[in-house]
Structure formats: structure tokens, C-alpha cells
Amino acid sequence: SSGINAEWSLRPGGRSDYIISYSEFLFLLSALDKPIDQFYRHFRILDRANSNTLSKEEFVSMENLMSGGGGVNPCVNATTSMQIILFGSDQEQEVDFEKFSKFLHCVQRQCLKAEFDAYSEGLDFITDDEFMRLLLRRTCIPDTKKARYIDRLEARPEEERHKIVFSQFSQFMNLLNDFPDFEVAIRMYAITKKALTKKDFQRAVKASTGSEFDEDLVDVIFDVFDEDHDNKLGHDEFIEVMKDSIKSRNALSSNALHVPNATTREKIMNCVRHNMYKGYAN
């Protein structure tokens, strides 16, 4: 139902021998917050033979690169889950970009689903105010300002509230991956001093991600950032919050290890990113 291919799942399922190397983990981590079209850049870097396919040898070279270079990777002589998925049980297959991108897209969705499940607590939806709390907790916005956003949602009558399902949550997180393109589109309206309607917002979303949001998701965004209640988005405020969320999500400095209210998973991801890039700098 979530569109996640069980065959490509890295979660322990019916088998207990699924493993992933540290360097593979770092590579996948770097791909979690990238738009799909940037996967091709990853692929071209790894395709040293310019054959438009990826061999296991090129993949192992990537492992060494992502480990910092020069070190011995303890999983080079082991067959990892990722290698089985990409190169088959005999390790002789080569993978083209279509399969490579589908695999990384599947990993993205698995991680998003795990995050969504942690908030939905067994349900197939989260409430719109829970969704906004999830978004705002990633930011360093003052608590008083966060409370103002949540109050706008909670002040609505019950019939105007929405349930956010995983597909809508995934749509929004994909927009964060493509946010630079989205911001350019939004800034065009700011330059012309034109207020941003829901139709304009959808046009900007489609231009940057390739598809529009579900209408309920757009309604929630406007309920929060339409301060004047005139069905026009306060795009400067929206962009500020989104960029702050992305900054917290992608932070590489030591300060990122202390994002307010970060979950254990977020702290681990920030810690790995910080130490990985610190290793490259040294």
C-alpha cells in the first residue's frame, strides 16, 4: 500500500543474514535527502568505466571512497544485502541507472515510512496538527512562534481538520528535497508582489517535484501560514520555516548534534554526518 518494494527492503524480514557495511550506510544516508534526479550524479561518479552500468568492483570502490579512502573495509570480502539486491546472489550482474535509482528511492520511502509509523502509533494517518508539530520540531524556531502555528490549526472547527496519510507525508518530504527549485518559483511571486493562491502554490510544487500535492495537504499549509485568512500564503514565513527545517535536517556542524527535541534517530544521523564530513576535511 505504501509502494515499498519488499524485495528491496533492508529491514530484517524472513531472513537473518541481511547486513550492511558502514560505508554503504554512509552512502545511503547521503542519498536520503536528495531528489531523484540527483541520483544520476551518484551513479555517474561510481560508473568509472562510463558503461552506463555499475559493476560490483565499482561499487566496492564507492565503499572505500565513502569510508574516507585508503582504509580497509571489513565488508569488502563479505556479501552485503545491498550487493545481493544490486548484483544478484552470484555477484556477477551489473546494474543500470533505472534499477539503481529505484533502489535508492525505495530506501528513501522505507525511512520516511519508519518515521511516519513512529508518529502514527499504529494508525494509517496522523492528524494535521501532529504533522505540523513533526515539521516544527525539526526547526530552531522559538517555542512561542511554534505555539502560534499550532494554535491556528487547533482553533478550527472539527469539520475543517484533516488526516495526513503516508502518501501526503511523503509528498511533503519530497518537496523538502527539491526545495531550492521550489523556492525559486515562489520567489518569482514575491518579486512581482503577487499574493500566492492555492492554485499558484500547486503550480510551484508541480514545477519543482513533477506532481501536485493532495488538496488536503495544501489546505493544512494554508491554514498555518495564511495569517490573514484570505486564502493567500504568507510565502516569506513559509520559506523561512521550511529552510530552517532543512537546515536542521542536513546540518553538518557540531551544533547540529543539539537540535532541539531531536529524536534518537535524528541525533545519530546528525552525528554520523558530522563525523563523516569532519573525516573528509582532515
PDB file of all heavy atoms in Angstrom, residues 167-200:
ATOM      1  N   SER A 167       1.125   8.835   2.081  1.00  0.00           N
ATOM      2  CA  SER A 167       1.409   9.373   0.739  1.00  0.00           C
ATOM      3  C   SER A 167       1.513  10.888   0.766  1.00  0.00           C
ATOM      4  O   SER A 167       2.358  11.476   0.069  1.00  0.00           O
ATOM      5  CB  SER A 167       0.317   8.928  -0.244  1.00  0.00           C
ATOM      6  OG  SER A 167      -0.953   9.412   0.144  1.00  0.00           O
ATOM      7  N   GLN A 168       0.705  11.559   1.594  1.00  0.00           N
ATOM      8  CA  GLN A 168       0.775  13.012   1.705  1.00  0.00           C
ATOM      9  C   GLN A 168       2.024  13.448   2.464  1.00  0.00           C
ATOM     10  O   GLN A 168       2.682  14.427   2.091  1.00  0.00           O
ATOM     11  CB  GLN A 168      -0.483  13.523   2.411  1.00  0.00           C
ATOM     12  CG  GLN A 168      -1.756  13.271   1.631  1.00  0.00           C
ATOM     13  CD  GLN A 168      -3.007  13.496   2.466  1.00  0.00           C
ATOM     14  OE1 GLN A 168      -3.011  13.256   3.681  1.00  0.00           O
ATOM     15  NE2 GLN A 168      -4.075  13.944   1.826  1.00  0.00           N
ATOM     16  N   PHE A 169       2.341  12.711   3.516  1.00  0.00           N
ATOM     17  CA  PHE A 169       3.576  12.978   4.259  1.00  0.00           C
ATOM     18  C   PHE A 169       4.786  12.847   3.348  1.00  0.00           C
ATOM     19  O   PHE A 169       5.703  13.677   3.367  1.00  0.00           O
ATOM     20  CB  PHE A 169       3.662  11.986   5.425  1.00  0.00           C
ATOM     21  CG  PHE A 169       4.928  12.070   6.233  1.00  0.00           C
ATOM     22  CD1 PHE A 169       5.137  13.099   7.132  1.00  0.00           C
ATOM     23  CD2 PHE A 169       5.918  11.101   6.105  1.00  0.00           C
ATOM     24  CE1 PHE A 169       6.300  13.172   7.883  1.00  0.00           C
ATOM     25  CE2 PHE A 169       7.082  11.155   6.850  1.00  0.00           C
ATOM     26  CZ  PHE A 169       7.271  12.199   7.745  1.00  0.00           C
ATOM     27  N   SER A 170       4.792  11.808   2.510  1.00  0.00           N
ATOM     28  CA  SER A 170       5.888  11.579   1.576  1.00  0.00           C
ATOM     29  C   SER A 170       5.971  12.699   0.545  1.00  0.00           C
ATOM     30  O   SER A 170       7.072  13.147   0.188  1.00  0.00           O
ATOM     31  CB  SER A 170       5.702  10.227   0.882  1.00  0.00           C
ATOM     32  OG  SER A 170       6.766   9.959  -0.004  1.00  0.00           O
ATOM     33  N   GLN A 171       4.830  13.177   0.068  1.00  0.00           N
ATOM     34  CA  GLN A 171       4.809  14.292  -0.879  1.00  0.00           C
ATOM     35  C   GLN A 171       5.521  15.508  -0.297  1.00  0.00           C
ATOM     36  O   GLN A 171       6.337  16.150  -0.968  1.00  0.00           O
ATOM     37  CB  GLN A 171       3.364  14.677  -1.214  1.00  0.00           C
ATOM     38  CG  GLN A 171       2.652  13.770  -2.178  1.00  0.00           C
ATOM     39  CD  GLN A 171       1.217  14.223  -2.416  1.00  0.00           C
ATOM     40  OE1 GLN A 171       0.639  14.983  -1.629  1.00  0.00           O
ATOM     41  NE2 GLN A 171       0.626  13.756  -3.508  1.00  0.00           N
ATOM     42  N   PHE A 172       5.201  15.808   0.954  1.00  0.00           N
ATOM     43  CA  PHE A 172       5.776  16.999   1.573  1.00  0.00           C
ATOM     44  C   PHE A 172       7.284  16.847   1.770  1.00  0.00           C
ATOM     45  O   PHE A 172       8.052  17.777   1.516  1.00  0.00           O
ATOM     46  CB  PHE A 172       5.092  17.280   2.908  1.00  0.00           C
ATOM     47  CG  PHE A 172       5.473  18.600   3.498  1.00  0.00           C
ATOM     48  CD1 PHE A 172       4.797  19.751   3.138  1.00  0.00           C
ATOM     49  CD2 PHE A 172       6.520  18.705   4.407  1.00  0.00           C
ATOM     50  CE1 PHE A 172       5.156  20.982   3.656  1.00  0.00           C
ATOM     51  CE2 PHE A 172       6.878  19.923   4.932  1.00  0.00           C
ATOM     52  CZ  PHE A 172       6.187  21.078   4.565  1.00  0.00           C
ATOM     53  N   MET A 173       7.726  15.675   2.240  1.00  0.00           N
ATOM     54  CA  MET A 173       9.152  15.467   2.456  1.00  0.00           C
ATOM     55  C   MET A 173       9.927  15.482   1.136  1.00  0.00           C
ATOM     56  O   MET A 173      11.081  15.923   1.089  1.00  0.00           O
ATOM     57  CB  MET A 173       9.385  14.146   3.198  1.00  0.00           C
ATOM     58  CG  MET A 173       8.861  14.161   4.626  1.00  0.00           C
ATOM     59  SD  MET A 173       9.540  15.548   5.575  1.00  0.00           S
ATOM     60  CE  MET A 173       8.503  15.521   7.031  1.00  0.00           C
ATOM     61  N   ASN A 174       9.303  15.017   0.071  1.00  0.00           N
ATOM     62  CA  ASN A 174       9.947  15.099  -1.235  1.00  0.00           C
ATOM     63  C   ASN A 174      10.104  16.553  -1.677  1.00  0.00           C
ATOM     64  O   ASN A 174      11.072  16.910  -2.358  1.00  0.00           O
ATOM     65  CB  ASN A 174       9.145  14.323  -2.282  1.00  0.00           C
ATOM     66  CG  ASN A 174       9.272  12.824  -2.114  1.00  0.00           C
ATOM     67  OD1 ASN A 174      10.242  12.334  -1.534  1.00  0.00           O
ATOM     68  ND2 ASN A 174       8.296  12.076  -2.608  1.00  0.00           N
ATOM     69  N   LEU A 175       9.149  17.402  -1.290  1.00  0.00           N
ATOM     70  CA  LEU A 175       9.287  18.821  -1.606  1.00  0.00           C
ATOM     71  C   LEU A 175      10.498  19.420  -0.898  1.00  0.00           C
ATOM     72  O   LEU A 175      11.211  20.256  -1.466  1.00  0.00           O
ATOM     73  CB  LEU A 175       8.020  19.580  -1.191  1.00  0.00           C
ATOM     74  CG  LEU A 175       8.072  21.098  -1.410  1.00  0.00           C
ATOM     75  CD1 LEU A 175       8.168  21.432  -2.889  1.00  0.00           C
ATOM     76  CD2 LEU A 175       6.862  21.782  -0.792  1.00  0.00           C
ATOM     77  N   LEU A 176      10.757  18.992   0.331  1.00  0.00           N
ATOM     78  CA  LEU A 176      11.941  19.480   1.037  1.00  0.00           C
ATOM     79  C   LEU A 176      13.206  19.110   0.284  1.00  0.00           C
ATOM     80  O   LEU A 176      14.176  19.872   0.255  1.00  0.00           O
ATOM     81  CB  LEU A 176      11.987  18.919   2.464  1.00  0.00           C
ATOM     82  CG  LEU A 176      10.905  19.388   3.433  1.00  0.00           C
ATOM     83  CD1 LEU A 176      11.188  18.851   4.830  1.00  0.00           C
ATOM     84  CD2 LEU A 176      10.800  20.899   3.462  1.00  0.00           C
ATOM     85  N   ASN A 177      13.225  17.924  -0.335  1.00  0.00           N
ATOM     86  CA  ASN A 177      14.382  17.509  -1.127  1.00  0.00           C
ATOM     87  C   ASN A 177      14.575  18.406  -2.337  1.00  0.00           C
ATOM     88  O   ASN A 177      15.698  18.643  -2.776  1.00  0.00           O
ATOM     89  CB  ASN A 177      14.220  16.057  -1.590  1.00  0.00           C
ATOM     90  CG  ASN A 177      14.327  15.066  -0.449  1.00  0.00           C
ATOM     91  OD1 ASN A 177      14.767  15.407   0.652  1.00  0.00           O
ATOM     92  ND2 ASN A 177      13.926  13.834  -0.693  1.00  0.00           N
ATOM     93  N   ASP A 178      13.467  18.874  -2.909  1.00  0.00           N
ATOM     94  CA  ASP A 178      13.510  19.711  -4.110  1.00  0.00           C
ATOM     95  C   ASP A 178      13.324  21.191  -3.779  1.00  0.00           C
ATOM     96  O   ASP A 178      12.978  21.981  -4.660  1.00  0.00           O
ATOM     97  CB  ASP A 178      12.409  19.280  -5.089  1.00  0.00           C
ATOM     98  CG  ASP A 178      12.694  17.951  -5.752  1.00  0.00           C
ATOM     99  OD1 ASP A 178      13.652  17.884  -6.545  1.00  0.00           O
ATOM    100  OD2 ASP A 178      11.969  16.972  -5.479  1.00  0.00           O
ATOM    101  N   PHE A 179      13.563  21.565  -2.543  1.00  0.00           N
ATOM    102  CA  PHE A 179      13.171  22.900  -2.110  1.00  0.00           C
ATOM    103  C   PHE A 179      13.884  24.040  -2.835  1.00  0.00           C
ATOM    104  O   PHE A 179      13.259  25.092  -3.066  1.00  0.00           O
ATOM    105  CB  PHE A 179      13.357  23.055  -0.598  1.00  0.00           C
ATOM    106  CG  PHE A 179      12.561  24.192  -0.035  1.00  0.00           C
ATOM    107  CD1 PHE A 179      11.194  24.055   0.164  1.00  0.00           C
ATOM    108  CD2 PHE A 179      13.155  25.399   0.265  1.00  0.00           C
ATOM    109  CE1 PHE A 179      10.438  25.101   0.659  1.00  0.00           C
ATOM    110  CE2 PHE A 179      12.421  26.456   0.765  1.00  0.00           C
ATOM    111  CZ  PHE A 179      11.049  26.314   0.959  1.00  0.00           C
ATOM    112  N   PRO A 180      15.165  23.932  -3.211  1.00  0.00           N
ATOM    113  CA  PRO A 180      15.784  25.041  -3.943  1.00  0.00           C
ATOM    114  C   PRO A 180      15.013  25.431  -5.199  1.00  0.00           C
ATOM    115  O   PRO A 180      14.813  26.624  -5.463  1.00  0.00           O
ATOM    116  CB  PRO A 180      17.187  24.506  -4.276  1.00  0.00           C
ATOM    117  CG  PRO A 180      17.470  23.536  -3.178  1.00  0.00           C
ATOM    118  CD  PRO A 180      16.152  22.875  -2.890  1.00  0.00           C
ATOM    119  N   ASP A 181      14.550  24.438  -5.971  1.00  0.00           N
ATOM    120  CA  ASP A 181      13.756  24.739  -7.163  1.00  0.00           C
ATOM    121  C   ASP A 181      12.418  25.355  -6.782  1.00  0.00           C
ATOM    122  O   ASP A 181      11.938  26.282  -7.442  1.00  0.00           O
ATOM    123  CB  ASP A 181      13.521  23.462  -7.981  1.00  0.00           C
ATOM    124  CG  ASP A 181      14.789  22.929  -8.621  1.00  0.00           C
ATOM    125  OD1 ASP A 181      15.739  23.713  -8.789  1.00  0.00           O
ATOM    126  OD2 ASP A 181      14.837  21.722  -8.934  1.00  0.00           O
ATOM    127  N   PHE A 182      11.810  24.832  -5.728  1.00  0.00           N
ATOM    128  CA  PHE A 182      10.532  25.364  -5.281  1.00  0.00           C
ATOM    129  C   PHE A 182      10.670  26.814  -4.822  1.00  0.00           C
ATOM    130  O   PHE A 182       9.827  27.660  -5.135  1.00  0.00           O
ATOM    131  CB  PHE A 182       9.988  24.498  -4.138  1.00  0.00           C
ATOM    132  CG  PHE A 182       8.708  24.996  -3.553  1.00  0.00           C
ATOM    133  CD1 PHE A 182       7.505  24.775  -4.196  1.00  0.00           C
ATOM    134  CD2 PHE A 182       8.706  25.685  -2.345  1.00  0.00           C
ATOM    135  CE1 PHE A 182       6.307  25.236  -3.647  1.00  0.00           C
ATOM    136  CE2 PHE A 182       7.521  26.148  -1.796  1.00  0.00           C
ATOM    137  CZ  PHE A 182       6.323  25.916  -2.449  1.00  0.00           C
ATOM    138  N   GLU A 183      11.755  27.106  -4.105  1.00  0.00           N
ATOM    139  CA  GLU A 183      11.955  28.467  -3.601  1.00  0.00           C
ATOM    140  C   GLU A 183      12.101  29.462  -4.749  1.00  0.00           C
ATOM    141  O   GLU A 183      11.586  30.594  -4.682  1.00  0.00           O
ATOM    142  CB  GLU A 183      13.193  28.529  -2.696  1.00  0.00           C
ATOM    143  CG  GLU A 183      13.400  29.900  -2.073  1.00  0.00           C
ATOM    144  CD  GLU A 183      14.637  29.966  -1.193  1.00  0.00           C
ATOM    145  OE1 GLU A 183      15.365  28.964  -1.110  1.00  0.00           O
ATOM    146  OE2 GLU A 183      14.864  31.032  -0.593  1.00  0.00           O
ATOM    147  N   VAL A 184      12.787  29.065  -5.816  1.00  0.00           N
ATOM    148  CA  VAL A 184      12.924  29.945  -6.976  1.00  0.00           C
ATOM    149  C   VAL A 184      11.548  30.293  -7.540  1.00  0.00           C
ATOM    150  O   VAL A 184      11.255  31.462  -7.856  1.00  0.00           O
ATOM    151  CB  VAL A 184      13.793  29.282  -8.071  1.00  0.00           C
ATOM    152  CG1 VAL A 184      13.719  30.080  -9.379  1.00  0.00           C
ATOM    153  CG2 VAL A 184      15.240  29.175  -7.609  1.00  0.00           C
ATOM    154  N   ALA A 185      10.697  29.271  -7.664  1.00  0.00           N
ATOM    155  CA  ALA A 185       9.350  29.502  -8.189  1.00  0.00           C
ATOM    156  C   ALA A 185       8.551  30.428  -7.273  1.00  0.00           C
ATOM    157  O   ALA A 185       7.853  31.341  -7.750  1.00  0.00           O
ATOM    158  CB  ALA A 185       8.623  28.173  -8.364  1.00  0.00           C
ATOM    159  N   ILE A 186       8.670  30.221  -5.973  1.00  0.00           N
ATOM    160  CA  ILE A 186       7.926  31.050  -5.014  1.00  0.00           C
ATOM    161  C   ILE A 186       8.441  32.486  -5.034  1.00  0.00           C
ATOM    162  O   ILE A 186       7.665  33.455  -4.948  1.00  0.00           O
ATOM    163  CB  ILE A 186       8.041  30.465  -3.598  1.00  0.00           C
ATOM    164  CG1 ILE A 186       7.313  29.129  -3.506  1.00  0.00           C
ATOM    165  CG2 ILE A 186       7.495  31.438  -2.561  1.00  0.00           C
ATOM    166  CD1 ILE A 186       5.834  29.207  -3.750  1.00  0.00           C
ATOM    167  N   ARG A 187       9.760  32.655  -5.141  1.00  0.00           N
ATOM    168  CA  ARG A 187      10.340  33.999  -5.133  1.00  0.00           C
ATOM    169  C   ARG A 187       9.863  34.825  -6.329  1.00  0.00           C
ATOM    170  O   ARG A 187       9.841  36.060  -6.265  1.00  0.00           O
ATOM    171  CB  ARG A 187      11.868  33.907  -5.143  1.00  0.00           C
ATOM    172  CG  ARG A 187      12.482  33.347  -3.863  1.00  0.00           C
ATOM    173  CD  ARG A 187      12.232  34.244  -2.679  1.00  0.00           C
ATOM    174  NE  ARG A 187      12.903  33.769  -1.464  1.00  0.00           N
ATOM    175  CZ  ARG A 187      12.681  34.244  -0.246  1.00  0.00           C
ATOM    176  NH1 ARG A 187      11.788  35.218  -0.069  1.00  0.00           N
ATOM    177  NH2 ARG A 187      13.331  33.756   0.805  1.00  0.00           N
ATOM    178  N   MET A 188       9.514  34.162  -7.415  1.00  0.00           N
ATOM    179  CA  MET A 188       9.007  34.882  -8.579  1.00  0.00           C
ATOM    180  C   MET A 188       7.712  35.633  -8.231  1.00  0.00           C
ATOM    181  O   MET A 188       7.492  36.752  -8.705  1.00  0.00           O
ATOM    182  CB  MET A 188       8.749  33.918  -9.732  1.00  0.00           C
ATOM    183  CG  MET A 188       9.994  33.245 -10.274  1.00  0.00           C
ATOM    184  SD  MET A 188      11.199  34.425 -10.930  1.00  0.00           S
ATOM    185  CE  MET A 188      10.294  35.053 -12.354  1.00  0.00           C
ATOM    186  N   TYR A 189       6.895  35.015  -7.404  1.00  0.00           N
ATOM    187  CA  TYR A 189       5.671  35.689  -6.970  1.00  0.00           C
ATOM    188  C   TYR A 189       5.997  36.857  -6.039  1.00  0.00           C
ATOM    189  O   TYR A 189       5.338  37.897  -6.077  1.00  0.00           O
ATOM    190  CB  TYR A 189       4.744  34.699  -6.273  1.00  0.00           C
ATOM    191  CG  TYR A 189       4.136  33.685  -7.203  1.00  0.00           C
ATOM    192  CD1 TYR A 189       4.710  32.423  -7.367  1.00  0.00           C
ATOM    193  CD2 TYR A 189       2.987  33.984  -7.925  1.00  0.00           C
ATOM    194  CE1 TYR A 189       4.150  31.491  -8.235  1.00  0.00           C
ATOM    195  CE2 TYR A 189       2.419  33.061  -8.796  1.00  0.00           C
ATOM    196  CZ  TYR A 189       3.009  31.816  -8.942  1.00  0.00           C
ATOM    197  OH  TYR A 189       2.469  30.898  -9.808  1.00  0.00           O
ATOM    198  N   ALA A 190       7.013  36.677  -5.211  1.00  0.00           N
ATOM    199  CA  ALA A 190       7.413  37.746  -4.300  1.00  0.00           C
ATOM    200  C   ALA A 190       7.932  38.947  -5.071  1.00  0.00           C
ATOM    201  O   ALA A 190       7.658  40.101  -4.725  1.00  0.00           O
ATOM    202  CB  ALA A 190       8.470  37.231  -3.323  1.00  0.00           C
ATOM    203  N   ILE A 191       8.695  38.676  -6.131  1.00  0.00           N
ATOM    204  CA  ILE A 191       9.258  39.768  -6.943  1.00  0.00           C
ATOM    205  C   ILE A 191       8.146  40.588  -7.591  1.00  0.00           C
ATOM    206  O   ILE A 191       8.204  41.816  -7.660  1.00  0.00           O
ATOM    207  CB  ILE A 191      10.208  39.199  -8.017  1.00  0.00           C
ATOM    208  CG1 ILE A 191      11.469  38.634  -7.343  1.00  0.00           C
ATOM    209  CG2 ILE A 191      10.591  40.279  -9.028  1.00  0.00           C
ATOM    210  CD1 ILE A 191      12.383  37.898  -8.296  1.00  0.00           C
ATOM    211  N   THR A 192       7.123  39.898  -8.074  1.00  0.00           N
ATOM    212  CA  THR A 192       6.003  40.582  -8.725  1.00  0.00           C
ATOM    213  C   THR A 192       4.987  41.109  -7.723  1.00  0.00           C
ATOM    214  O   THR A 192       3.976  41.709  -8.115  1.00  0.00           O
ATOM    215  CB  THR A 192       5.283  39.628  -9.707  1.00  0.00           C
ATOM    216  OG1 THR A 192       4.791  38.492  -8.978  1.00  0.00           O
ATOM    217  CG2 THR A 192       6.241  39.155 -10.786  1.00  0.00           C
ATOM    218  N   LYS A 193       5.253  40.887  -6.426  1.00  0.00           N
ATOM    219  CA  LYS A 193       4.378  41.316  -5.336  1.00  0.00           C
ATOM    220  C   LYS A 193       2.972  40.748  -5.502  1.00  0.00           C
ATOM    221  O   LYS A 193       1.976  41.380  -5.140  1.00  0.00           O
ATOM    222  CB  LYS A 193       4.336  42.840  -5.256  1.00  0.00           C
ATOM    223  CG  LYS A 193       5.684  43.466  -4.947  1.00  0.00           C
ATOM    224  CD  LYS A 193       5.601  44.974  -4.823  1.00  0.00           C
ATOM    225  CE  LYS A 193       6.961  45.560  -4.492  1.00  0.00           C
ATOM    226  NZ  LYS A 193       6.909  47.053  -4.350  1.00  0.00           N
ATOM    227  N   LYS A 194       2.924  39.535  -6.030  1.00  0.00           N
ATOM    228  CA  LYS A 194       1.646  38.863  -6.222  1.00  0.00           C
ATOM    229  C   LYS A 194       1.421  37.883  -5.079  1.00  0.00           C
ATOM    230  O   LYS A 194       2.310  37.094  -4.740  1.00  0.00           O
ATOM    231  CB  LYS A 194       1.644  38.118  -7.554  1.00  0.00           C
ATOM    232  CG  LYS A 194       0.342  37.388  -7.853  1.00  0.00           C
ATOM    233  CD  LYS A 194       0.428  36.644  -9.177  1.00  0.00           C
ATOM    234  CE  LYS A 194      -0.857  35.863  -9.430  1.00  0.00           C
ATOM    235  NZ  LYS A 194      -0.789  35.083 -10.702  1.00  0.00           N
ATOM    236  N   ALA A 195       0.253  37.947  -4.478  1.00  0.00           N
ATOM    237  CA  ALA A 195      -0.074  37.018  -3.397  1.00  0.00           C
ATOM    238  C   ALA A 195      -0.178  35.602  -3.951  1.00  0.00           C
ATOM    239  O   ALA A 195      -0.571  35.389  -5.094  1.00  0.00           O
ATOM    240  CB  ALA A 195      -1.383  37.420  -2.736  1.00  0.00           C
ATOM    241  N   LEU A 196       0.194  34.638  -3.116  1.00  0.00           N
ATOM    242  CA  LEU A 196       0.260  33.249  -3.550  1.00  0.00           C
ATOM    243  C   LEU A 196      -1.040  32.523  -3.205  1.00  0.00           C
ATOM    244  O   LEU A 196      -1.347  32.299  -2.032  1.00  0.00           O
ATOM    245  CB  LEU A 196       1.451  32.553  -2.884  1.00  0.00           C
ATOM    246  CG  LEU A 196       1.935  31.249  -3.522  1.00  0.00           C
ATOM    247  CD1 LEU A 196       2.551  31.511  -4.874  1.00  0.00           C
ATOM    248  CD2 LEU A 196       2.936  30.563  -2.619  1.00  0.00           C
ATOM    249  N   THR A 197      -1.812  32.167  -4.226  1.00  0.00           N
ATOM    250  CA  THR A 197      -3.037  31.410  -4.012  1.00  0.00           C
ATOM    251  C   THR A 197      -2.723  29.919  -3.969  1.00  0.00           C
ATOM    252  O   THR A 197      -1.595  29.496  -4.251  1.00  0.00           O
ATOM    253  CB  THR A 197      -4.038  31.678  -5.142  1.00  0.00           C
ATOM    254  OG1 THR A 197      -3.487  31.169  -6.372  1.00  0.00           O
ATOM    255  CG2 THR A 197      -4.305  33.173  -5.297  1.00  0.00           C
ATOM    256  N   LYS A 198      -3.727  29.122  -3.635  1.00  0.00           N
ATOM    257  CA  LYS A 198      -3.535  27.673  -3.615  1.00  0.00           C
ATOM    258  C   LYS A 198      -3.190  27.149  -5.009  1.00  0.00           C
ATOM    259  O   LYS A 198      -2.369  26.233  -5.154  1.00  0.00           O
ATOM    260  CB  LYS A 198      -4.795  26.983  -3.089  1.00  0.00           C
ATOM    261  CG  LYS A 198      -5.049  27.239  -1.607  1.00  0.00           C
ATOM    262  CD  LYS A 198      -6.282  26.498  -1.105  1.00  0.00           C
ATOM    263  CE  LYS A 198      -6.506  26.774   0.378  1.00  0.00           C
ATOM    264  NZ  LYS A 198      -7.698  26.067   0.910  1.00  0.00           N
ATOM    265  N   LYS A 199      -3.798  27.729  -6.034  1.00  0.00           N
ATOM    266  CA  LYS A 199      -3.508  27.321  -7.398  1.00  0.00           C
ATOM    267  C   LYS A 199      -2.063  27.648  -7.767  1.00  0.00           C
ATOM    268  O   LYS A 199      -1.366  26.837  -8.385  1.00  0.00           O
ATOM    269  CB  LYS A 199      -4.473  28.016  -8.367  1.00  0.00           C
ATOM    270  CG  LYS A 199      -4.328  27.574  -9.813  1.00  0.00           C
ATOM    271  CD  LYS A 199      -5.371  28.236 -10.690  1.00  0.00           C
ATOM    272  CE  LYS A 199      -5.222  27.793 -12.149  1.00  0.00           C
ATOM    273  NZ  LYS A 199      -6.247  28.442 -13.013  1.00  0.00           N
ATOM    274  N   ASP A 200      -1.593  28.819  -7.367  1.00  0.00           N
ATOM    275  CA  ASP A 200      -0.201  29.212  -7.630  1.00  0.00           C
ATOM    276  C   ASP A 200       0.755  28.290  -6.875  1.00  0.00           C
ATOM    277  O   ASP A 200       1.805  27.897  -7.398  1.00  0.00           O
ATOM    278  CB  ASP A 200       0.041  30.657  -7.187  1.00  0.00           C
ATOM    279  CG  ASP A 200      -0.761  31.657  -8.001  1.00  0.00           C
ATOM    280  OD1 ASP A 200      -1.017  31.382  -9.195  1.00  0.00           O
ATOM    281  OD2 ASP A 200      -1.134  32.700  -7.438  1.00  0.00           O
TER     282      ASP A 200
END
